[in-house]
Amino acid sequence: MQPIELPAKSKRPGDAQALSLQQHLQDTEKAAHLLFSDGHRFGVNFRRFFRIADADHERFLLHVRIASLLHDLGKANEDFIAAVNGSGRPQLLRHEHLSALILHLPVVRTWLQQQTAVDWDVVTAAVLTHHLKSDRSGDYPWGQTQGLGQSVRLHLSHPQVQGILERLADLVGLPPPPALHVTTYRANDAQWLHALQAGMDAANDLEDDILKSAESDAVSMRRSALLAAVKAGVIAA
Protein backbone atom coordinates (compact mmCIF):
# COMPACT_ATOMS: atom_id res chain seq x y z
CA MET A 1 0.00 0.00 0.00
CA GLN A 2 1.41 3.36 -1.05
CA PRO A 3 1.80 6.10 1.56
CA ILE A 4 -0.66 8.97 1.16
CA GLU A 5 2.24 11.44 1.04
CA LEU A 6 5.94 11.24 0.38
CA PRO A 7 7.53 13.76 2.77
CA ALA A 8 10.59 15.77 1.82
CA LYS A 9 11.45 16.77 5.38
CA SER A 10 10.23 16.40 8.95
CA LYS A 11 7.07 18.30 9.76
CA ARG A 12 7.80 21.60 11.49
CA PRO A 13 5.91 22.62 14.66
CA GLY A 14 2.63 24.23 13.71
CA ASP A 15 2.48 22.73 10.21
CA ALA A 16 -0.60 20.70 9.36
CA GLN A 17 1.49 18.30 7.28
CA ALA A 18 5.03 17.81 6.10
CA LEU A 19 6.30 19.37 2.89
CA SER A 20 5.73 16.85 0.12
CA LEU A 21 8.61 15.47 -1.89
CA GLN A 22 7.07 16.60 -5.16
CA GLN A 23 6.57 20.15 -3.91
CA HIS A 24 10.11 20.31 -2.56
CA LEU A 25 11.62 19.18 -5.85
CA GLN A 26 9.46 21.56 -7.86
CA ASP A 27 10.38 24.39 -5.48
CA THR A 28 14.09 23.61 -5.83
CA GLU A 29 13.86 23.62 -9.62
CA LYS A 30 12.04 26.96 -9.48
CA ALA A 31 14.67 28.37 -7.12
CA ALA A 32 17.42 27.28 -9.53
CA HIS A 33 15.60 28.93 -12.42
CA LEU A 34 15.27 32.20 -10.51
CA LEU A 35 18.78 32.20 -9.01
CA PHE A 36 20.59 31.54 -12.23
CA SER A 37 18.49 33.49 -14.68
CA ASP A 38 20.07 36.27 -16.71
CA GLY A 39 18.39 38.94 -14.63
CA HIS A 40 19.64 37.83 -11.20
CA ARG A 41 22.94 39.34 -10.04
CA PHE A 42 23.76 36.21 -8.02
CA GLY A 43 23.44 34.07 -11.13
CA VAL A 44 25.62 36.38 -13.21
CA ASN A 45 28.38 36.43 -10.58
CA PHE A 46 28.04 32.67 -10.02
CA ARG A 47 28.58 31.94 -13.70
CA ARG A 48 31.54 34.28 -13.83
CA PHE A 49 33.13 32.49 -10.85
CA PHE A 50 32.71 29.09 -12.49
CA ARG A 51 33.79 30.41 -15.89
CA ILE A 52 30.53 29.61 -17.61
CA ALA A 53 30.60 31.59 -20.85
CA ASP A 54 27.56 33.65 -21.82
CA ALA A 55 27.07 31.31 -24.77
CA ASP A 56 26.75 28.38 -22.32
CA HIS A 57 24.30 30.07 -19.95
CA GLU A 58 21.18 28.31 -21.23
CA ARG A 59 22.93 24.95 -21.16
CA PHE A 60 24.05 25.49 -17.57
CA LEU A 61 20.60 26.71 -16.55
CA LEU A 62 18.91 23.65 -18.03
CA HIS A 63 21.30 21.26 -16.30
CA VAL A 64 21.03 22.87 -12.87
CA ARG A 65 17.23 22.87 -13.13
CA ILE A 66 17.20 19.17 -14.08
CA ALA A 67 19.53 18.18 -11.24
CA SER A 68 17.52 20.29 -8.78
CA LEU A 69 14.34 18.54 -9.87
CA LEU A 70 15.84 15.07 -9.39
CA HIS A 71 18.20 15.48 -6.45
CA ASP A 72 15.95 13.95 -3.76
CA LEU A 73 14.17 11.31 -5.82
CA GLY A 74 15.64 8.63 -3.57
CA LYS A 75 13.65 9.90 -0.60
CA ALA A 76 10.73 7.84 -1.92
CA ASN A 77 11.57 4.93 0.34
CA GLU A 78 10.20 3.55 3.60
CA ASP A 79 13.38 4.17 5.63
CA PHE A 80 13.36 7.87 4.84
CA ILE A 81 9.65 8.18 5.58
CA ALA A 82 10.19 6.46 8.93
CA ALA A 83 13.16 8.71 9.70
CA VAL A 84 11.26 11.97 9.16
CA ASN A 85 8.49 10.58 11.32
CA GLY A 86 10.97 10.15 14.19
CA SER A 87 11.64 6.41 14.10
CA GLY A 88 15.31 6.85 15.01
CA ARG A 89 16.26 3.76 13.01
CA PRO A 90 19.19 3.95 10.58
CA GLN A 91 18.50 4.21 6.86
CA LEU A 92 19.84 1.40 4.72
CA LEU A 93 21.14 3.73 2.02
CA ARG A 94 21.59 7.50 1.87
CA HIS A 95 18.81 9.06 -0.18
CA GLU A 96 21.13 10.85 -2.64
CA HIS A 97 22.97 7.57 -3.31
CA LEU A 98 19.62 5.98 -4.09
CA SER A 99 18.64 8.94 -6.28
CA ALA A 100 21.73 8.45 -8.45
CA LEU A 101 21.21 4.68 -8.60
CA ILE A 102 17.62 5.19 -9.80
CA LEU A 103 18.98 7.36 -12.62
CA HIS A 104 21.12 4.39 -13.69
CA LEU A 105 18.34 1.81 -13.75
CA PRO A 106 18.20 0.62 -17.38
CA VAL A 107 14.55 1.58 -17.86
CA VAL A 108 15.26 5.09 -16.59
CA ARG A 109 18.59 5.56 -18.39
CA THR A 110 17.15 4.38 -21.71
CA TRP A 111 14.37 6.93 -21.36
CA LEU A 112 16.71 9.78 -20.36
CA GLN A 113 19.19 9.15 -23.14
CA GLN A 114 16.57 9.88 -25.76
CA GLN A 115 17.42 13.52 -25.03
CA THR A 116 20.99 13.81 -26.25
CA ALA A 117 21.26 17.55 -25.56
CA VAL A 118 21.57 16.80 -21.81
CA ASP A 119 24.79 15.57 -20.20
CA TRP A 120 23.16 13.01 -17.93
CA ASP A 121 26.46 12.08 -16.29
CA VAL A 122 26.89 15.67 -15.11
CA VAL A 123 23.31 15.65 -13.81
CA THR A 124 23.82 12.36 -11.97
CA ALA A 125 27.08 13.55 -10.42
CA ALA A 126 25.35 16.67 -9.08
CA VAL A 127 22.47 14.60 -7.70
CA LEU A 128 24.85 12.17 -5.98
CA THR A 129 27.04 14.81 -4.33
CA HIS A 130 24.59 17.48 -3.16
CA HIS A 131 25.26 16.59 0.50
CA LEU A 132 29.01 16.17 -0.10
CA LYS A 133 28.74 12.65 1.27
CA SER A 134 29.70 10.42 -1.59
CA ASP A 135 33.05 9.15 -2.83
CA ARG A 136 34.79 6.07 -4.16
CA SER A 137 35.95 5.14 -0.65
CA GLY A 138 36.17 6.60 2.86
CA ASP A 139 33.14 7.22 5.04
CA TYR A 140 30.56 7.48 2.25
CA PRO A 141 31.33 5.17 -0.70
CA TRP A 142 28.56 5.30 -3.28
CA GLY A 143 26.05 2.50 -2.85
CA GLN A 144 27.44 1.34 0.48
CA THR A 145 24.63 0.19 2.76
CA GLN A 146 24.54 0.99 6.46
CA GLY A 147 23.58 -1.25 9.36
CA LEU A 148 22.52 -4.87 9.10
CA GLY A 149 19.57 -4.48 6.74
CA GLN A 150 19.64 -5.78 3.18
CA SER A 151 16.54 -4.29 1.60
CA VAL A 152 14.23 -1.31 1.73
CA ARG A 153 10.83 -0.78 0.17
CA LEU A 154 10.63 1.88 -2.54
CA HIS A 155 7.69 4.00 -3.71
CA LEU A 156 8.77 4.76 -7.26
CA SER A 157 5.29 4.17 -8.71
CA HIS A 158 3.85 6.81 -6.36
CA PRO A 159 1.98 9.63 -8.18
CA GLN A 160 4.42 12.17 -6.75
CA VAL A 161 7.39 10.41 -8.33
CA GLN A 162 5.55 10.06 -11.61
CA GLY A 163 4.65 13.74 -11.40
CA ILE A 164 8.32 14.69 -11.07
CA LEU A 165 9.27 12.54 -14.04
CA GLU A 166 6.45 14.07 -16.08
CA ARG A 167 7.75 17.53 -15.17
CA LEU A 168 11.22 16.45 -16.32
CA ALA A 169 9.76 15.23 -19.62
CA ASP A 170 8.15 18.65 -20.17
CA LEU A 171 11.33 20.49 -19.20
CA VAL A 172 13.70 18.69 -21.57
CA GLY A 173 11.40 17.39 -24.30
CA LEU A 174 11.25 13.70 -23.48
CA PRO A 175 8.38 11.33 -24.24
CA PRO A 176 6.15 10.35 -21.30
CA PRO A 177 8.14 8.61 -18.56
CA PRO A 178 8.10 4.86 -18.11
CA ALA A 179 6.15 3.34 -15.24
CA LEU A 180 8.60 2.31 -12.53
CA HIS A 181 7.57 -1.03 -11.09
CA VAL A 182 10.70 -1.49 -8.96
CA THR A 183 9.34 -1.88 -5.44
CA THR A 184 12.45 -2.83 -3.45
CA TYR A 185 16.11 -1.95 -3.20
CA ARG A 186 18.25 -4.98 -2.34
CA ALA A 187 21.99 -4.54 -2.03
CA ASN A 188 22.77 -7.84 -3.75
CA ASP A 189 20.05 -7.69 -6.39
CA ALA A 190 21.31 -7.96 -9.98
CA GLN A 191 19.51 -4.87 -11.28
CA TRP A 192 20.93 -2.66 -8.51
CA LEU A 193 24.42 -4.11 -8.88
CA HIS A 194 24.14 -3.36 -12.60
CA ALA A 195 23.00 0.20 -11.89
CA LEU A 196 25.90 0.76 -9.50
CA GLN A 197 28.45 -0.64 -11.95
CA ALA A 198 27.00 1.45 -14.79
CA GLY A 199 27.25 4.50 -12.56
CA MET A 200 30.84 3.73 -11.62
CA ASP A 201 31.79 3.24 -15.27
CA ALA A 202 30.14 6.54 -16.19
CA ALA A 203 31.94 8.29 -13.32
CA ASN A 204 35.29 6.90 -14.48
CA ASP A 205 34.63 8.09 -18.03
CA LEU A 206 33.57 11.51 -16.75
CA GLU A 207 36.70 11.79 -14.63
CA ASP A 208 38.92 10.81 -17.55
CA ASP A 209 37.27 13.43 -19.72
CA ILE A 210 37.54 16.14 -17.07
CA LEU A 211 41.24 15.39 -16.61
CA LYS A 212 41.74 16.32 -20.25
CA SER A 213 40.94 19.91 -19.26
CA ALA A 214 44.44 20.05 -17.77
CA GLU A 215 45.70 19.50 -21.31
CA SER A 216 43.67 22.48 -22.58
CA ASP A 217 41.09 20.41 -24.41
CA ALA A 218 38.39 23.05 -25.01
CA VAL A 219 35.43 20.63 -24.92
CA SER A 220 36.64 19.01 -21.71
CA MET A 221 37.24 22.41 -20.12
CA ARG A 222 33.65 23.40 -20.87
CA ARG A 223 32.40 20.13 -19.41
CA SER A 224 34.57 20.55 -16.32
CA ALA A 225 33.16 24.04 -15.75
CA LEU A 226 29.61 22.76 -16.27
CA LEU A 227 30.12 19.93 -13.77
CA ALA A 228 31.50 22.19 -11.04
CA ALA A 229 28.83 24.83 -11.58
CA VAL A 230 25.90 22.39 -11.62
CA LYS A 231 27.14 20.63 -8.47
CA ALA A 232 27.41 23.93 -6.57
CA GLY A 233 24.23 25.27 -8.15
CA VAL A 234 22.06 22.43 -6.86
CA ILE A 235 23.36 23.05 -3.32
CA ALA A 236 22.59 26.75 -3.64
CA ALA A 237 19.11 26.09 -5.00
Side-chain angles (χ1 to χ4, degrees):
M1 181 178 179
Q2 296 278 15
I4 295 174
E5 283 292 338
L6 296 179
K9 302 176 184 296
S10 299
K11 186 170 67 174
R12 296 178 300 182
D15 288 348
Q17 60 184 27
L19 176 69
S20 76
L21 179 59
Q22 184 174 5
Q23 188 64 56
H24 170 60
L25 293 175
Q26 290 173 339
D27 288 348
T28 310
E29 184 222 326
K30 183 177 180 180
H33 193 192
L34 293 173
L35 274 175
F36 302 114
S37 67
D38 253 340
H40 200 296
R41 187 172 69 176
F42 176 87
V44 172
N45 290 332
F46 184 95
R47 295 197 308 276
R48 182 183 299 120
F49 178 84
F50 283 99
R51 299 182 180 180
I52 300 293
D54 290 345
D56 289 332
H57 170 230
E58 289 301 323
R59 178 169 169 79
F60 160 68
L61 183 60
L62 176 64
H63 280 71
V64 76
R65 289 177 68 186
I66 295 168
S68 295
L69 185 64
L70 297 174
H71 76 282
D72 276 350
L73 204 61
K75 287 182 175 180
N77 75 79
E78 65 177 352
D79 280 359
F80 182 82
I81 295 170
V84 299
N85 288 326
S87 72
R89 78 186 191 204
Q91 298 179 58
L92 178 68
L93 193 64
R94 290 191 60 85
H95 71 268
E96 69 271 27
H97 291 213
L98 191 50
S99 296
L101 285 170
I102 291 167
L103 296 180
H104 273 288
L105 286 172
V107 65
V108 176
R109 207 67 174 183
T110 299
W111 174 62
L112 294 177
Q113 288 177 337
Q114 293 177 79
Q115 177 49 274
T116 58
V118 176
D119 190 329
W120 294 108
D121 292 335
V122 165
V123 168
T124 305
V127 166
L128 178 60
T129 60
H130 74 270
H131 282 297
L132 307 179
K133 291 184 177 180
S134 177
D135 208 336
R136 296 179 186 276
S137 58
D139 293 334
Y140 301 104
W142 184 22
Q144 181 65 52
T145 56
Q146 305 173 74
L148 300 177
Q150 288 297 311
S151 66
V152 60
R153 185 182 177 198
L154 306 179
H155 300 292
L156 302 185
S157 62
H158 193 285
Q160 286 192 41
V161 173
Q162 287 298 303
I164 289 301
L165 297 181
E166 288 166 6
R167 169 61 191 145
L168 175 63
D170 289 342
L171 179 61
V172 303
L174 281 166
L180 301 184
H181 300 300
V182 183
T183 59
T184 307
Y185 170 83
R186 289 189 179 88
N188 59 352
D189 186 89
Q191 67 178 331
W192 292 108
L193 291 173
H194 174 84
L196 180 59
Q197 187 58 56
M200 291 293 189
D201 292 344
N204 288 334
D205 291 344
L206 179 60
E207 181 180 48
D208 289 345
D209 190 48
I210 295 304
L211 288 175
K212 291 180 185 177
S213 64
E215 303 169 6
S216 300
D217 180 290
V219 174
S220 295
M221 289 177 71
R222 288 178 65 201
R223 197 179 190 201
S224 179
L226 179 67
L227 176 65
V230 173
K231 280 184 172 184
V234 171
I235 295 171

